[in-house]
């Protein structure tokens, strides 16, 4: 993977993670690096699911793929916040 590919993945991960945080109600006490990791994982899984369903390669913007990614990021953020809250862990 090239440096450009890595930077692109991090930027997309940050955006997808931030969108996932926006969808989850309430305040999330997790660090930005964890949001980025959740976003990168959600972006990769969302793309895999979209390709499996057959909606990843469409003309124009792939809104369904983006929806899969944001939903997965929201689920990831909610799980991490729930696990951290149960343990009393903050930043």
């Amino acid at each position: 993977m090239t440096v450009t590919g890595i930077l692109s993945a991090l930027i997309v991960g940050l955006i997808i993670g931030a969108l996932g945080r926006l969808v989850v109600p309430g305040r999330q006490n997790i660090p930005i690096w964890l949001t980025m990791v959740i976003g990168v994982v959600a972006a990769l899984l969302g793309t895999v699911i979209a390709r499996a369903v057959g909606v990843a390669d469409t003309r124009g913007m792939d809104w369904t793929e983006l929806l899969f990614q944001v939903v997965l990021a929201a689920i990831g953020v909610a799980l991490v916040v729930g696990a951290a809250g149960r343990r009393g862990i903050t930043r």
Side-chain angles (χ1 to χ4, degrees):
M1 182 176 259
T2 64
V3 174
T4 306
I6 293 170
L7 288 176
S8 298
L10 292 176
I11 291 169
V12 168
L14 182 61
I15 293 168
I16 296 295
L19 289 172
R21 280 181 82 157
L22 287 173
V23 174
V24 176
R27 180 171 163 81
Q28 296 86 30
N29 288 324
I30 60 173
I32 194 69
W33 66 265
L34 187 54
T35 301
M36 187 183 305
V37 169
I38 292 169
V40 169
V41 171
L44 292 173
L45 286 176
T47 300
V48 168
I49 292 171
R51 287 191 180 172
V53 175
V55 295
D57 295 321
T58 58
R59 291 182 7 174
M61 181 68 177
D62 294 326
W63 292 106
T64 308
E65 181 179 0
L66 181 63
L67 179 67
F68 284 144
Q69 293 171 342
V70 172
V71 167
L72 287 171
I75 291 169
V77 167
L79 288 174
V80 169
V81 168
R86 209 169 316 152
R87 293 186 204 147
I89 300 171
T90 58
R91 298 187 192 245

